């Protein structure tokens, strides 16, 4: 019986997949930088004499009471704007399941196992630390999330030329991580359900699916219907962001005859900049503003709940993602790309400890009756995410020269046909073009040699 063949882990992506990843991450990186700026502004507002004005804006409420939508500005950001983020996450998940890394069960095993371990181990770290100190276990889910926009913003700030395969692995991890966060929110943070409102929301979702199936894609129909789905989901007691995920999963990700792009791709192309550049930064502006006095920072490392969050993000994520990846690679007989090392995987695992957006959201949901502890949990998320970013940044910088060389190889296009040369090494036409280019260069060098020789002979002649 023949031994099972091994597969390449973190090998070169296909050209279409690489193009999609590059375009998607470029938007997420820009949005991540905006997110960083929004978080810094929030911290400045919360820790200066402007804190009173900042708190007043956050707590200002508006909206119809009869529809259960008389919400504060901060709640509108959490329940409303984050729905756009989760809608895009739903589209990403659908695409990964249909055309991405998750479509092949064997290829999906590595990132899925890594993501699951990367959620389970931080939760266990939190429970162990909090229980040993006599703290509350309600915040176990806070350190389980990874913020892809924040993580990519760290990469952009550091200038690290991370290879496309590692970036794709990080993106797939974050997609699975988002799914886990969605399930956690839906299962563990839904206390009272209005079944009538939930049933009407599901009925509206079915109507969205039927219209999409019939080819009706007019925005003036889908936008009001999406608002109805969201409002009913919010009234049901289930967190409103679940509506965004459900609608994202309904979009078709495959291309039919006569289409250049699938409906999901078109919608994602339009909404991703809104999500990354507007929705998530505005959420951060109203969620990240917590007091960070010297005593507050000290309390983060002395209180078991907050210390559990910090250690869960910094230690739990790195150990969970790396350990899950290494074990899965051994189990599936996947061989690591010879251009990379397990140290690179560990650096990405450490980067997954940046749990900003969803961690802040879960922190609010975990301690609704204790705003003081909820604020301290937010401070712990900020400190833990910053620590994970610094740790990962050091690890990535140590290998940055290697990454730059790999990226140059991936980007090289000597025949200038718009396709990187590494994707054409098996193409006869590519080698013929390169032969013609080299022959032209050789002819030019021969001409220059002849001119130089003629000049030398002229200089040696009689005066």
């Amino acid at each position: 019986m023949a031994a099972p063949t091994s597969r390449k882990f973190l090998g070169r992506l296909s050209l279409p997949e690489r193009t999609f990843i590059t375009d998607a991450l470029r938007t997420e990186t820009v949005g991540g930088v905006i997110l960083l700026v929004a978080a810094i502004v929030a911290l400045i507002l919360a820790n200066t004499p402007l804190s009173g004005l900042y708190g007043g804006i956050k707590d200002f409420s508006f909206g119809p009471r009869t529809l259960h939508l008389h919400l504060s500005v901060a709640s509108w950001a959490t329940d409303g704007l984050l729905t756009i983020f989760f809608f895009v996450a739903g589209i990403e998940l659908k695409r990964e399941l249909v055309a991405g890394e998750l479509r092949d069960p064997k290829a999906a095993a590595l990132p899925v196992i890594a993501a699951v371990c990367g959620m389970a181990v931080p939760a266990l770290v939190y429970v162990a630390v909090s229980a040993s100190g006599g703290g509350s276990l309600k915040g176990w889910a806070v350190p389980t999330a990874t913020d892809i926009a924040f993580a990519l913003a760290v990469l952009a700030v550091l200038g690290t030329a991370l290879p496309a395969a590692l970036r794709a692995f990080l993106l797939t991890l974050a997609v699975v991580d988002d799914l886990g966060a969605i399930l956690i929110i839906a299962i563990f943070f839904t206390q009272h359900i209005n079944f009538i409102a939930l049933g009407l929301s599901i009925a509206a979702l079915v109507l969205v699916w039927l219209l999409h199936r019939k080819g009706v894609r007019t925005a003036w129909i889908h936008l009001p219907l999406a608002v109805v789905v969201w409002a009913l989901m919010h009234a049901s007691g289930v967190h409103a962001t679940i509506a965004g995920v459900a609608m994202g999963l309904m979009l078709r990700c495959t291309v039919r005859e006569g289409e250049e792009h699938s409906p999901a791709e078109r919608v994602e192309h339009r909404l991703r900049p809104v999500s990354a550049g507007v929705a998530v930064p505005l959420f951060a502006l109203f969620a990240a503003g917590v007091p960070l006095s010297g005593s507050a920072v000290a309390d983060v490392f002395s209180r078991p709940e907050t210390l559990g969050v910090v250690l869960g993000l910094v230690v739990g994520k790195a150990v969970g993602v790396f350990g899950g990846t290494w074990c899965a690679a051994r189990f599936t007989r996947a061989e690591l790309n010879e251009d990379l090392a397990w140290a690179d995987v560990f650096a990405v695992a450490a980067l997954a400890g940046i749990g900003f957006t969803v961690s802040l959201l879960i922190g609010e949901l975990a301690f609704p009756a204790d705003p003081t502890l909820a604020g301290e949990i937010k401070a712990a998320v900020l400190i833990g995410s910053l620590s994970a970013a610094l740790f990962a940044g050091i690890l990535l910088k140590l290998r940055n020269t290697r990454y730059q060389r790999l990226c140059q190889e991936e980007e090289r296009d000597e025949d200038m046909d718009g396709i990187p040369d590494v994707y054409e090494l098996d193409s006869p036409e590519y080698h013929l073009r390169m032969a013609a280019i080299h022959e032209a260069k050789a002819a030019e060098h021969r001409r220059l040699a002849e001119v130089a020789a003629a000049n030398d002979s002229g200089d040696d002649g009689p005066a």
Side-chain angles (χ1 to χ4, degrees), residues 3-35:
T5 57
S6 62
R7 296 182 301 103
K8 186 73 68 179
F9 171 49
L10 294 179
R12 184 176 297 121
L13 301 176
S14 66
L15 184 58
E17 184 71 8
R18 179 180 179 274
T19 301
F20 172 82
I21 293 293
T22 301
D23 292 342
L25 295 187
R26 184 181 297 114
T27 302
E28 292 287 0
T29 300
V30 174
V33 174
I34 300 174
L35 173 62

Side-chain angles (χ1 to χ4, degrees), residues 227-242:
V227 173
V228 170
V229 171
W230 173 84
L232 288 170
M233 188 70 74
H234 185 276
S236 73
V238 177
H239 201 271
T241 53
I242 305 299

Side-chain angles (χ1 to χ4, degrees), residues 299-379:
D299 289 343
V300 167
F301 294 96
S302 60
R303 186 158 184 167
E305 295 94 341
T306 51
L307 182 59
V309 170
V310 173
L311 293 179
L313 289 172
V314 179
V315 179
K317 270 291 185 181
V319 172
V321 172
F322 179 79
T325 305
W326 187 83
C327 291
R330 291 294 299 271
F331 179 75
T332 59
R333 299 181 64 83
E335 292 183 357
L336 184 66
N337 182 357
E338 59 273 7
D339 291 329
L340 299 171
W342 281 108
D344 303 312
V345 181
F346 186 74
V348 172
L351 198 63
I354 300 175
F356 190 71
T357 305
V358 181
S359 290
L360 291 174
L361 171 61
I362 295 177
E364 291 183 353
L365 298 176
F367 301 100
D370 192 344
T372 300
L373 180 54
E376 292 175 349
I377 290 291
K378 287 183 179 181

Side-chain angles (χ1 to χ4, degrees), residues 117-202:
C117 292
M119 299 184 75
V121 175
L124 292 174
V125 169
Y126 175 91
V127 169
V129 173
S130 188
S132 64
S136 172
L137 302 183
K138 293 181 180 180
W140 64 269
V142 175
T144 60
T146 295
D147 192 311
I148 183 62
F150 206 156
L152 291 172
V154 171
L155 291 179
V157 171
L158 292 174
T160 303
L162 202 64
L166 281 172
R167 290 178 179 266
F169 180 63
L170 180 61
L171 179 61
T172 307
L173 270 178
V175 170
V176 180
D177 196 285
D178 286 341
L179 174 61
I182 292 160
L183 294 175
I184 287 173
I185 292 170
I187 296 172
F188 296 100
F189 295 103
T190 299
Q191 298 177 348
H192 305 289
I193 299 179
N194 182 331
F195 287 99
I196 295 176
L198 181 60
L200 291 173
S201 179
I202 294 173

Side-chain angles (χ1 to χ4, degrees), residues 176-456:
V176 180
D177 196 285
D178 286 341
L179 174 61
I182 292 160
L183 294 175
I184 287 173
I185 292 170
I187 296 172
F188 296 100
F189 295 103
T190 299
Q191 298 177 348
H192 305 289
I193 299 179
N194 182 331
F195 287 99
I196 295 176
L198 181 60
L200 291 173
S201 179
I202 294 173
L205 280 169
V206 172
L207 179 58
V208 171
W209 179 77
L210 288 173
L211 290 173
H212 184 66
R213 185 178 177 85
K214 294 295 184 181
V216 179
R217 301 189 186 94
T218 305
W220 296 112
I221 296 177
H222 282 280
L223 281 177
L225 193 54
V227 173
V228 170
V229 171
W230 173 84
L232 288 170
M233 188 70 74
H234 185 276
S236 73
V238 177
H239 201 271
T241 53
I242 305 299
V245 179
M247 287 186 285
L249 288 171
M250 289 183 176
L251 295 182
R252 175 169 54 83
C253 294
T254 55
V255 178
R256 292 178 179 174
E257 185 177 354
E259 292 182 337
E260 185 177 354
H261 302 288
S262 68
E265 189 176 358
R266 290 197 296 269
V267 173
E268 184 182 17
H269 179 72
R270 294 173 182 174
L271 278 185
R272 185 185 287 277
V274 177
S275 171
V278 179
V280 174
L282 281 177
F283 164 77
L285 182 63
F286 295 110
V290 293
L292 289 179
S293 63
S295 59
V297 174
D299 289 343
V300 167
F301 294 96
S302 60
R303 186 158 184 167
E305 295 94 341
T306 51
L307 182 59
V309 170
V310 173
L311 293 179
L313 289 172
V314 179
V315 179
K317 270 291 185 181
V319 172
V321 172
F322 179 79
T325 305
W326 187 83
C327 291
R330 291 294 299 271
F331 179 75
T332 59
R333 299 181 64 83
E335 292 183 357
L336 184 66
N337 182 357
E338 59 273 7
D339 291 329
L340 299 171
W342 281 108
D344 303 312
V345 181
F346 186 74
V348 172
L351 198 63
I354 300 175
F356 190 71
T357 305
V358 181
S359 290
L360 291 174
L361 171 61
I362 295 177
E364 291 183 353
L365 298 176
F367 301 100
D370 192 344
T372 300
L373 180 54
E376 292 175 349
I377 290 291
K378 287 183 179 181
V381 170
L382 295 175
I383 293 172
S385 296
L386 178 60
S387 301
L390 293 174
F391 180 45
I394 293 171
L395 295 177
L396 292 169
K397 274 295 185 182
L398 293 175
R399 297 271 292 171
N400 197 43
T401 302
R402 176 69 169 173
Y403 296 151
Q404 288 177 339
R405 188 183 67 78
L406 291 175
C407 282
Q408 288 173 357
E409 292 178 358
E410 289 181 355
E411 297 292 338
R412 185 178 294 111
D413 183 19
E414 292 187 355
D415 61 342
M416 301 178 66
D417 64 344
I419 300 175
D421 295 341
V422 292
Y423 291 97
E424 298 183 291
L425 297 179
D426 295 330
S427 169
E429 291 79 7
Y430 163 75
H431 291 290
L432 290 173
R433 287 195 300 272
M434 290 305 301
I437 291 172
H438 288 303
E439 288 169 0
K441 289 182 178 178
E444 176 64 14
H445 282 296
R446 282 193 292 270
R447 185 188 69 78
L448 292 175
E450 292 172 357
V451 170
N455 290 337
D456 288 342

